[in-house]
Amino acid sequence: MPDPAMQDWCAIVGKNVRRLRKQRGMTQEELAFESEIDLTYVGGIERGKRNPSLLVMARIAEALSIPLSKLLSD
């Protein structure tokens, strides 16, 4: 069974990615394209099912024009 703290971490990042993406009026496809990551991976991140690397989170933050720290805030 996965570590509950890691599940919480993934859920926080996923919730923030979805909220910030929607605030910018972007689709998952647009975010995936701008971040140079796979569309299914974006969906997995937003659902809290994937554990994105720091590099992937940095790409997402850049595509959303936000500081990386915003993805990590609770």
Side-chain angles (χ1 to χ4, degrees):
M1 178 149 195
D3 180 5
M6 187 58 71
Q7 285 181 310
D8 291 347
W9 165 255
C10 292
I12 289 167
V13 171
K15 177 187 66 161
N16 288 335
V17 169
R18 177 172 279 147
R19 179 177 48 80
L20 293 161
R21 173 181 62 77
K22 288 184 172 187
Q23 281 178 0
R24 280 151 185 75
M26 293 177 83
T27 65
Q28 284 185 344
E29 285 179 326
E30 290 169 330
L31 179 58
F33 180 79
E34 293 294 324
S35 304
E36 298 178 5
I37 59 178
D38 190 80
L39 173 60
T40 59
Y41 194 60
V42 171
I45 292 169
E46 288 191 359
R47 289 190 308 278
K49 302 296 182 195
R50 302 303 295 258
N51 181 16
S53 68
L54 185 58
L55 177 61
V56 167
M57 288 191 293
R59 286 183 187 168
I60 290 171
E62 186 174 332
L64 293 171
S65 302
I66 58 163
L68 178 57
S69 59
K70 278 209 167 197
L71 294 181
L72 309 175
S73 59
D74 194 359

